[in-house]
Amino acid sequence: MDAFALSLSYGIGNVSKKNMIITAITVGIFHFFMPLIGNVVGLPLFEYTLIKPRYVLFVVFLILSVDMIIHYFETEEKQINLNFIGTLLFAISVSFDSFSVGLGISYIYDNILLVVFSFCLISMLFTFLGFILGKKISNKIGKLSFLLGGVILFLYSLLVLTNH
């Protein structure tokens, strides 16, 4: 869901189709490997750290929502550039919580590779659909879409923070 929400808000900006595809594939790759890593090393890591994934996600989504709301009040058009670093940060931020999914995969299903491959494909699809839907919303309501996207991300950041 967070990949969809973030790609929806980025889709409101002027992201090229090439960047949409590359970012969706990168998110899918991260959603493949993060649960695998979580399955192997996750339990000991979470026992010894104080930082939980939801706090990191909250901060990332809060910063992005404030940036979008500020952009609503700016007069010049903003081009969102998902360069190599931007794409990696995007993928890491939405895949961070999938690390914790790996903690319980082996308890739910025996074929871990099938589960993470399905997880990868679905997250890739949702990311791409979020970009497309965001672009369509932006075309329909114009600059107001930045305010709408910022408010949605802000509410989603609160949901991430309060969801146990």
Side-chain angles (χ1 to χ4, degrees), residues 105-115:
I105 286 178
S106 56
Y107 296 109
I108 298 170
Y109 199 73
D110 291 336
N111 192 343
I112 293 172
L113 288 178
L114 178 64
V115 172

Side-chain angles (χ1 to χ4, degrees), residues 111-132:
N111 192 343
I112 293 172
L113 288 178
L114 178 64
V115 172
V116 296
F117 185 71
S118 300
F119 199 52
C120 160
L121 288 178
I122 291 168
S123 65
M124 193 181 332
L125 178 66
F126 268 65
T127 302
F128 187 73
L129 290 175
F131 278 123
I132 297 298

